[in-house]
Amino acid sequence: MDVLSDLKVVELSRTAAAAFAGRLCADAGAEVVLLEPPGGHPLRHEGPFRDDLPDPETSAAHLHANAGKRSVTIDLETQAAAAVRLVAGADILLTDVPRDVLDPVGLSWADLSARAPTLLMTRITPFGDTGPYARYAGSNLVCLALGGQLKITGDPGRPPLTNFGSQAEYQAGLSAFAGTVANVLLRDASGEGEYLELSVQDVVATNLEQRGTSFNLGLVANRAGLTVSATYGVYPCRDGWVYLTAFAPALWDRLKSVVKLEVLDDERFSSQASRLENNDELQAILTEWTLSKSSEELREFARQGYPLTVAEDEESLLACEQWERRGYVRNVDHPAAGNVSVLGSPWLAGEATDIKPAPMLGDSNDLLEGLG
Amino acid sequence: MDWKSGRLPLAGLRVVDWSLYWAGPYLGMMLHDLGAEVIKVEAPAHCDPMRTVIDVNRYSGDTGKPLTAEQRANISQHFNEWNRGKLGIGVELADPRGRQIFLDLVTQSHIVIENHRPGAKDKLGIAYSDVVETKPDIIYASLSGFGQTLPERDAMALGSPVELPSGLFLRNGYLDDDTPAKTGFSYGDPVGALAALSAVLLAVRQWRKSGEGRYLDIAMRDALSFGIGTAFTDWSMNGAARSRTGNRHPVYAPQGVYRAKGDDQWVAISVRDDRDWQALVGVVGAHDWQNADIESRRDNHDEIDAAIEAWTSEREARDIEGELQAVGVPAGAVLDFAQLKVDPQMTARGAFAEIEHPVFGVELRATSQWARGDRPQPLERPAPCFGQHNREILTGLLGMDAWVVDDLEREGVIADRIKVSGD
């Protein structure tokens, strides 16, 4: 879906948030120029690397999030004028750089919009431009904490636990991309520029599931570990993990039809209320059943539509038939990392869209020529 | 975007929203937030389960006299949270006349979204291939667990269970723990909804340029896996199993979630570089490690954590946050929902607003994540009660005569109450 192929994007980013948004722009056909500090984008310095040898060209985080972009190295302290010209000639500026850095060098929205009235600018920061935390320092973990997602993940009695990766920044990247495309639609009609400021904390808090029940009914959810209840939770199987999903009557009947144990027809388990009352007994019975099954057996049940899912790892997913059918795994040749797999964007299933590898540092520095 | 003046990208577009649970409803709500008129379609015998599966009494603590499903249907705070701003119609899609109403609604619309199990739309005759005959330029987005392709098309997946087959689950977990961990809520739903929203917005741009609609096949699993794409690229390069990293960061050190004063109170702290570290030592002490460089801080992470926690556990999480932020170190109290509700930043930015629901009363709802600062979003319409706008939609938008609507209602083709079966 090369819907943005008429657009030029300048990405001035330091975190995964704007990097994800820029990656999605590139997947949608836009030309994305990543402005990196002379030492390279921070994602280039995040492990793991090819063969576990630190190399700013072969960081997996960089290869994934920066795929399809061009790279320009620029020192904002000495080359700000060139950066401003580059941005003024683009359609979209994506950034997650603090105002303290942007404003003094002419990259504030006020300065840029005066110079380039049709520019779209999307700025993602930990806490936004306004409010008492506007000047707070942030990180992925701190935004998960203040956005409410951290407290509810992990085991009761142990500390709250972040999920793997930069999930707060990923959510913000998705949200920033959607918001940016929304502004593209507005500009298509009006010809005018737009500014979008987005806070990672806001996005995290907006994406919280039980907010309504908490705010309006007084429930305060907490960490529940692997199992919410016997009919909704993760169980160990013979060689892995399986999630049983039978919290509604029809789902329970489906689960019974695959577990095939007469004991499940007992009065004790005959209604949702009684299943909750006899939760521990039910969980023990179901655990015995899951432990008797292999991932492969359970995977077959899942494909037939029984209410369960099976844990998969990178190896099994990269080789899975579903992704092959969907064309989701793209193999790209990278000058330093060699042939590597990169996942396509979630909406690229079945699309012929080409994904290019992440850029070598400064591979497009010629774009600065003549910009001062 | 500006909510007060109505300068919104999807103004003038209409969405048929045949969605259930969380991902689809959230997608529909975001399309509303961006200016579209969204009509939520539900069948009386198959309403959005979010109306009824969660027993409100479990939260109110009044388990003595549980509410019936019918009593729960219009006050569910799950349903009402993710369907704010929509119109609602209750129509029996399995009836040919009900199906025709669906097709007529599509003809008057620009976008269809649905997140039923693949196959459901074909069974009812409301799939893309069915509606495209009468509405050739429709944008039709299906959001499912695994996508519309075999072999995993028919596998069932909700936003939390889908975390297992995404790869995320096996990566989650406490530091070096053998047991993985699941995200504490249905994380596949919001991520899938945002991915689907992006796809729909791109399709709208294509439609405005070319006049062509299209079918979109979005999988929640794919959206979750994309968020840990690093792990897949790593595997393809190295083929090495990685141990779980808990709350630690690949570069920052120390980083952790530390016990604060009080029951189950915690503070998250990230030290990004040497400057942060010197600033933290200036506040916390931990002088044994004052001169530790990044390598040394990583090598001695456990001991440093212990030194930091000795300090944090004597202090309130919010005070720690304030002291560390004052010297520029990323730190934040680990908020629960009650604290989030009154968080000064959320409040100052207008993240939450009150709205009056006709049955529940005053509800506090999140506003659009794009409406912040000087662009607030006034909330105008709560989530629809079941079938609340039947008459308005059928006589207005579809131009039916009132007596026809009366007949449809009498014959159970449309209804403004759910039909209950089982517990």
Side-chain angles (χ1 to χ4, degrees):
Chain A
M1 205 154 39
D2 282 350
V3 180
L4 304 184
S5 59
D6 56 327
L7 300 180
K8 281 186 185 163
V9 177
V10 172
E11 177 194 324
L12 179 58
S13 77
R14 298 293 180 262
T15 75
F20 270 120
R23 161 75 203 272
L24 298 174
C25 286
D27 287 355
E31 180 186 291
V32 181
V33 176
L34 173 63
L35 299 188
E36 308 192 59
H41 192 283
L43 288 181
R44 291 181 181 271
H45 303 288
E46 256 192 49
F49 305 92
R50 167 148 225 132
D51 303 326
D52 292 327
L53 299 170
D55 174 350
E57 300 299 352
T58 71
S59 141
H62 161 68
L63 292 170
H64 172 59
N66 291 330
K69 301 174 189 174
R70 305 174 70 175
S71 163
V72 166
T73 54
I74 194 160
D75 182 346
L76 285 182
E77 284 181 19
T78 58
Q79 296 171 282
V84 169
R85 287 192 191 101
L86 207 56
V87 171
D91 299 282
I92 298 170
L93 171 62
L94 282 178
T95 186
D96 54 16
V97 171
R99 285 175 81 165
D100 307 5
V101 177
L102 296 181
D103 291 6
V105 298
L107 289 166
S108 69
W109 169 240
D111 287 345
L112 287 170
S113 60
R115 190 181 176 123
T118 64
L119 182 72
L120 302 176
M121 177 167 172
T122 298
R123 212 168 75 83
I124 314 159
T125 55
F127 303 99
D129 285 350
T130 60
Y133 305 170
R135 304 190 73 82
Y136 262 22
S139 69
N140 184 75
L141 185 71
V142 166
C143 289
L144 285 175
L146 285 167
Q149 288 185 3
L150 190 58
K151 183 78 184 258
I152 55 177
T153 295
D155 292 335
R158 295 173 88 182
L161 176 69
T162 178
N163 36 21
F164 173 76
S166 301
Q167 298 297 329
E169 290 171 354
Y170 175 46
Q171 293 170 67
L174 284 170
S175 180
F177 177 68
T180 301
V181 179
N183 275 342
V184 168
L185 293 174
L186 274 182
R187 193 185 77 159
D188 285 342
S190 72
E192 287 169 25
E194 297 279 340
Y195 178 64
L196 178 66
E197 66 108 338
L198 204 67
S199 135
V200 182
Q201 181 201 18
D202 261 346
V203 174
V204 169
T206 303
N207 287 342
L208 263 175
E209 182 175 24
Q210 290 141 317
R211 193 181 52 239
T213 43
S214 298
F215 283 12
N216 300 310
L217 295 169
L219 163 85
V220 176
N222 211 333
R223 301 185 289 291
L226 289 178
T227 337
V228 176
S229 73
T231 53
Y232 195 54
V234 179
Y235 286 78
C237 70
R238 200 188 299 155
D239 57 347
W241 302 89
V242 58
Y243 201 135
L244 303 184
T245 309
F247 57 81
L251 298 173
W252 170 249
D253 291 341
R254 287 285 289 162
L255 184 69
K256 277 203 302 185
S257 71
V258 68
V259 174
K260 292 190 180 114
L261 288 174
E262 276 178 27
V263 64
L264 296 183
D265 292 321
D266 273 17
E267 190 60 31
R268 285 176 297 165
F269 310 127
S270 60
S271 72
Q272 280 196 155
S274 65
R275 289 191 285 277
L276 280 175
E277 250 166 56
N278 300 292
N279 188 71
D280 294 353
E281 290 164 80
L282 181 55
Q283 195 163 328
I285 293 165
L286 291 173
T287 303
E288 202 177 319
W289 181 76
T290 57
L291 282 172
S292 74
K293 300 290 172 204
S294 67
S295 296
E296 192 47 51
E297 288 171 271
L298 293 165
R299 206 174 275 136
E300 198 43 51
F301 291 146
R303 285 174 185 191
Q304 291 164 20
Y306 290 104
L308 51 88
T309 56
V310 181
E312 305 289 354
D313 61 16
E314 293 83 14
E315 184 178 20
S316 67
L317 280 166
L318 284 173
C320 79
E321 195 184 338
Q322 183 77 349
W323 276 3
E324 195 185 326
R325 293 283 185 92
R326 294 172 71 71
Y328 192 45
V329 181
R330 310 298 177 93
N331 293 307
V332 300
D333 274 314
H334 186 273
N339 190 267
V340 298
S341 297
V342 175
L343 297 188
S345 278
W347 57 83
L348 289 181
E351 300 264 342
T353 308
D354 191 30
I355 291 186
K356 296 189 185 72
M360 301 291 281
L361 185 64
D363 74 347
S364 296
N365 278 352
D366 57 331
L367 291 173
L368 289 177
E369 276 168 28
L371 291 180
Chain B
M1 288 182 270
D2 184 58
W3 279 263
K4 283 191 169 152
S5 70
R7 189 166 52 82
L8 297 171
L10 303 184
L13 299 190
R14 186 173 293 119
V15 178
V16 174
D17 172 337
W18 185 46
S19 68
L20 76 175
Y21 288 114
W22 185 17
Y26 187 20
L27 168 62
M29 189 173 85
M30 291 190 285
L31 293 170
H32 157 77
D33 287 342
L34 294 174
E37 179 181 280
V38 179
I39 299 174
K40 170 103 176 180
V41 180
E42 298 173 87
H46 300 94
C47 70
D48 182 342
M50 274 307 207
R51 288 189 183 274
T52 57
V53 291
I54 312 286
D55 186 345
V56 176
N57 292 107
R58 272 171 54 203
Y59 303 122
S60 67
D62 181 17
T63 50
K65 39 179 176 39
L67 298 178
T68 64
E70 201 169 59
Q71 287 169 321
R72 295 198 294 269
N74 291 328
I75 59 171
S76 160
Q77 288 303 301
H78 281 267
F79 181 88
N80 290 1
E81 182 72 46
W82 307 103
N83 291 282
R84 154 179 79 59
K86 302 177 188 176
L87 300 168
I89 182 168
V91 53
E92 189 43 75
L93 298 172
D95 185 292
R97 291 165 295 176
R99 173 181 180 261
Q100 191 57 48
I101 288 172
F102 188 94
L103 297 179
D104 291 345
L105 283 175
V106 172
T107 308
Q108 298 296 324
S109 303
H110 308 85
I111 300 164
V112 176
I113 61 164
E114 67 92 16
N115 67 321
H116 286 252
R117 203 188 261 230
K121 55 190 174 303
D122 306 278
K123 202 170 144 195
L124 290 169
I126 55 173
Y128 180 66
S129 56
D130 298 303
V131 306
V132 78
E133 287 176 23
T134 48
K135 181 70 177 171
D137 66 338
I138 194 75
I139 295 165
Y140 192 123
S142 291
L143 176 55
S144 61
F146 301 94
Q148 310 288 323
T149 39
L150 286 167
E152 292 185 69
R153 181 189 67 201
D154 300 324
M156 197 199 108
L158 296 166
S160 179
V162 78
E163 191 171 323
L164 268 69
S166 78
L168 176 59
F169 172 77
L170 288 177
R171 281 306 188 98
N172 284 341
Y174 288 94
L175 184 67
D176 296 329
D177 205 335
D178 289 334
T179 302
K182 72 179 184 66
T183 305
F185 66 109
S186 300
Y187 186 49
D189 287 292
V191 166
L194 281 164
L197 174 69
S198 295
V200 170
L201 294 175
L202 290 171
V204 167
R205 187 166 198 245
Q206 194 172 46
W207 169 75
R208 283 193 176 146
K209 284 186 160 182
S210 70
E212 284 169 21
R214 60 167 295 159
Y215 183 66
L216 299 162
D217 167 14
I218 315 294
M220 287 194 289
R221 188 255 295 271
D222 296 358
L224 277 177
S225 302
F226 189 81
I228 56 160
T230 295
F232 294 93
T233 300
D234 173 33
W235 178 269
S236 77
M237 285 193 295
N238 297 311
R242 305 288 182 186
S243 55
R244 301 195 169 89
T245 50
N247 288 323
R248 293 198 178 162
H249 189 274
V251 176
Y252 305 165
Q255 173 176 283
V257 178
Y258 303 93
R259 187 177 294 281
K261 194 174 169 183
D263 179 37
D264 199 29
Q265 299 300 308
W266 307 87
V267 63
I269 300 171
S270 301
V271 171
R272 298 164 297 182
D273 50 25
D274 291 342
R275 192 221 67 88
D276 279 356
W277 179 241
Q278 292 310 320
L280 181 131
V281 168
V283 173
V284 173
H287 291 291
D288 291 354
W289 305 102
Q290 180 157 12
N291 298 316
D293 62 10
I294 179 67
E295 292 301 324
S296 167
R297 296 201 298 275
R298 227 175 266 150
D299 291 345
N300 299 285
H301 210 302
D302 288 344
E303 291 82 354
I304 288 173
D305 283 347
I308 293 173
E309 195 157 82
W311 183 82
T312 59
S313 58
E314 301 293 315
R315 287 163 177 80
E316 305 282 346
R318 283 294 202 181
D319 293 341
I320 299 163
E321 173 190 314
E323 280 195 65
L324 290 176
Q325 287 287 354
V327 295
V329 176
V334 180
L335 301 187
D336 65 24
F337 284 89
Q339 294 166 315
L340 183 70
K341 186 178 178 179
V342 295
D343 178 62
Q345 181 71 1
M346 290 283 118
T347 312
R349 285 171 63 75
F352 311 127
E354 285 188 345
I355 190 163
E356 176 85 23
H357 184 278
V359 182
F360 185 86
V362 175
E363 302 174 326
L364 189 66
R365 294 269 87 97
T367 62
S368 167
Q369 59 206 292
W370 304 289
R372 290 294 180 268
D374 58 356
R375 294 170 285 118
Q377 179 192 27
L379 298 185
E380 279 153 12
R381 189 185 312 207
C385 294
F386 185 85
Q388 187 183 340
H389 304 98
N390 286 353
R391 209 155 272 275
E392 180 181 331
I393 292 166
L394 295 177
T395 60
L397 184 63
L398 298 190
M400 285 182 179
D401 291 329
W403 65 267
V404 177
V405 178
D406 292 341
D407 278 356
L408 289 169
E409 195 167 65
R410 197 162 38 243
E411 289 160 32
V413 179
I414 60 165
D416 59 7
R417 304 176 78 166
I418 64 166
K419 209 187 275 178
V420 183
S421 58
D423 61 358

